[in-house]
Structure formats: C-alpha cells, structure tokens
Amino acid sequence: MTVNVFLDDYRHCPQGYVLAKDIDECIDLLKRFPISHLSLDHDLESKTRNGLMLVHYMVKYQLFAESITIHSANSVAGKQMFTYLKEAQNENLMPRTIHVKLRPLPLR
C-alpha cells in the first residue's frame, strides 16, 4: 500500500494524505511504507529538528518518495531544502526520476 505524506505541524492535512507532525513521524512512515507523494514543511515545532534536517537524513539513508514537494512558506529554508535535494540528484545520491518541486503554501 502506497501512501501520501504531509509533514506539517500547523496546516491542516489535505485529504488523501497521512499527517506527520514532526520529522520522526515522517521518518517512521518513510521506513514503513512506499510513499507516492511527500509534501514537506521546514519550520516545525522543534527549532532544531526541521525539514532541512529531514532531507539530509533522507539522502543519507536513501529514504525517498516517488515525488517530493517543498511546501514551506519559509522561502530561504524551503529553497535550501529544494537545492539540497536537486544537488543530491546531480551527484547521483538520489534517483533523478524523483520529481522535486518547490511550491510554498500560505500558512492559512
């Protein structure tokens, strides 16, 4: 069974997605299920365990989804997450077949 995962501790989870409120919940889902679409926020309740930390972990441990969207409203951090994933693809650390998008969502 493949699932869609929405990592966010503030926004409402879209229909058809499983909500992960922190990176530990997201990592658990990445380890347990094949993920079709992964939508990621950067700014989470924990200031030290954020979306950028998650994408570093994903690349290091080869935990990916078929497609990844960075939806963070934090433009600087969202761009860092996007750039890190694209560089991982360019360095063959992440499959190039994974579609990575930067599409910020408003907080409300």
Side-chain angles (χ1 to χ4, degrees), residues 13-108:
C13 185
Q15 187 173 5
Y17 284 76
V18 174
L19 178 64
K21 289 188 176 186
D22 59 42
I23 68 170
D24 296 312
E25 287 180 14
C26 192
I27 290 167
D28 183 56
L29 290 166
L30 283 161
K31 287 180 176 179
R32 292 182 28 216
F33 299 100
I35 308 295
S36 179
H37 182 241
L38 179 61
S39 190
L40 301 175
D41 191 16
H42 177 272
D43 297 340
L44 302 169
E45 190 171 300
S46 171
K47 301 302 179 203
T48 58
R49 297 183 58 73
N50 57 42
L52 183 59
M53 180 185 222
L54 174 65
V55 296
H56 282 263
Y57 185 94
M58 289 167 53
V59 170
K60 180 177 181 178
Y61 293 101
Q62 298 292 289
L63 297 170
F64 302 116
E66 293 173 24
S67 67
I68 301 169
T69 300
I70 310 301
H71 71 252
S72 181
N74 180 331
S75 61
V76 173
K79 179 75 170 170
Q80 287 176 325
M81 292 167 67
F82 176 80
T83 301
Y84 185 81
L85 292 173
K86 294 306 280 183
E87 287 174 354
Q89 285 180 317
N90 290 337
E91 295 170 9
N92 295 314
L93 300 173
M94 176 176 151
R96 292 177 187 257
T97 56
I98 297 172
H99 189 64
V100 180
K101 297 176 282 196
L102 179 58
R103 190 170 292 162
L105 291 175
L107 291 175
R108 293 247 174 213

